[in-house]
Amino acid sequence: MSVGLDNAEFVQLAEDVKKLTSKPDNDTLLKLYSYFKQATVGDNGTDAPGVFDLTAKAKWNAWKELGGMSQDDATLKYIETARATIAKHG
């Protein structure tokens, strides 16, 4: 299986998620973000953002929690989560 941006379904779903007609809850958005980053980059090796940038900190933490997850698994989880999100908020 191709991972991340080499996977056509992954790329299409990433575009479709940007066109949702209603906004998903923050937990869903964090899952999509963290699975996308894990699938395309791998483990989070970046420095933590400042404590006052709450949005960036939440995104960083969500991605950091996936440490050790393979890019294959993250790609599959992103596809699964994106499909469910599009079905609900499409």
Side-chain angles (χ1 to χ4, degrees):
M1 175 187 160
S2 52
V3 299
L5 298 175
D6 292 331
N7 181 301
E9 184 179 13
F10 178 93
V11 172
Q12 184 60 56
L13 288 169
E15 286 301 314
D16 293 346
V17 162
K18 296 176 186 176
K19 302 172 189 170
L20 297 174
T21 57
S22 64
K23 184 180 177 189
D25 61 89
N26 287 338
D27 285 341
T28 301
L29 292 172
L30 285 172
K31 283 181 187 178
L32 287 167
Y33 173 81
S34 61
Y35 291 140
F36 183 91
K37 293 296 277 186
Q38 189 71 17
T40 58
V41 178
D43 289 347
N44 183 351
T46 63
D47 293 334
V51 294
F52 296 110
D53 191 347
L54 299 179
T55 300
K57 186 74 171 176
K59 290 166 80 173
W60 187 88
N61 283 332
W63 180 19
K64 190 74 172 175
E65 288 174 9
L66 297 182
M69 176 183 277
S70 73
Q71 288 182 282
D72 278 339
D73 288 346
T75 298
L76 290 172
K77 292 298 281 179
Y78 181 87
I79 289 170
E80 176 184 307
T81 304
R83 283 180 183 162
T85 303
I86 291 166
K88 185 174 182 181
H89 297 279

